[in-house]
Amino acid sequence: YINGTLIPELVVERGKTYTFIVEGGTNSNDLSNYHPFYISNSIGGGRLENTDDEIDEEIVYAGFENDQPIAVGRLCQLMETESSENTRESCSDLQTYIDTLETPASCNSG
């Protein structure tokens, strides 16, 4: 998510400085909970799980140095509660469900 939007298209201007707060995890041994942020020309992303050929074709503009991710941060995941589970089972609106998820205290600091 960026500003509340799942997988948005970003439009950036050369010469401007941008700041991102990255909350995608720091444990590179746990790829299901490790999502470093980077900007590239790839439509699909997923550089850490791509084939060598896919990596060779991708141009990375920001977020990697010496082929290692540098834009990483704590893992902050919304947690399902009993209330949100009930909402998930009965609603057809994704935002309504998301609004019922709980933010762990560790995500509120730092």
Side-chain angles (χ1 to χ4, degrees):
Y1 284 89
I2 296 179
N3 291 343
T5 303
L6 179 63
I7 315 173
E9 179 177 334
L10 296 179
V11 178
V12 295
E13 272 184 60
R14 187 181 309 273
K16 287 194 173 184
T17 300
Y18 299 87
T19 301
F20 298 92
I21 298 170
V22 179
E23 295 181 326
T26 58
N27 183 354
S28 62
N29 294 318
D30 181 5
L31 290 182
S32 66
N33 289 308
Y34 182 62
H35 310 285
F37 179 75
Y38 70 100
I39 299 173
S40 76
N41 68 338
S42 170
I43 292 173
R47 183 174 182 83
L48 297 175
E49 296 182 18
N50 288 348
T51 66
D52 289 341
D53 288 341
E54 291 169 325
I55 290 171
D56 289 343
E57 292 177 15
E58 184 178 32
I59 299 171
V60 176
Y61 302 107
F64 270 73
E65 284 183 4
N66 300 319
D67 210 32
Q68 295 297 313
I70 58 168
V72 299
R74 68 185 177 181
L75 182 62
C76 191
Q77 293 180 305
L78 298 175
M79 307 298 287
E80 191 167 70
T81 64
E82 186 175 324
S83 171
S84 60
E85 184 178 354
N86 293 335
T87 301
R88 175 177 45 82
E89 293 173 359
S90 64
C91 80
S92 60
D93 180 341
L94 178 61
Q95 190 59 52
T96 299
Y97 167 66
I98 290 172
D99 291 343
T100 66
L101 298 174
E102 184 175 288
T103 304
S106 62
C107 293
N108 294 325
S109 62

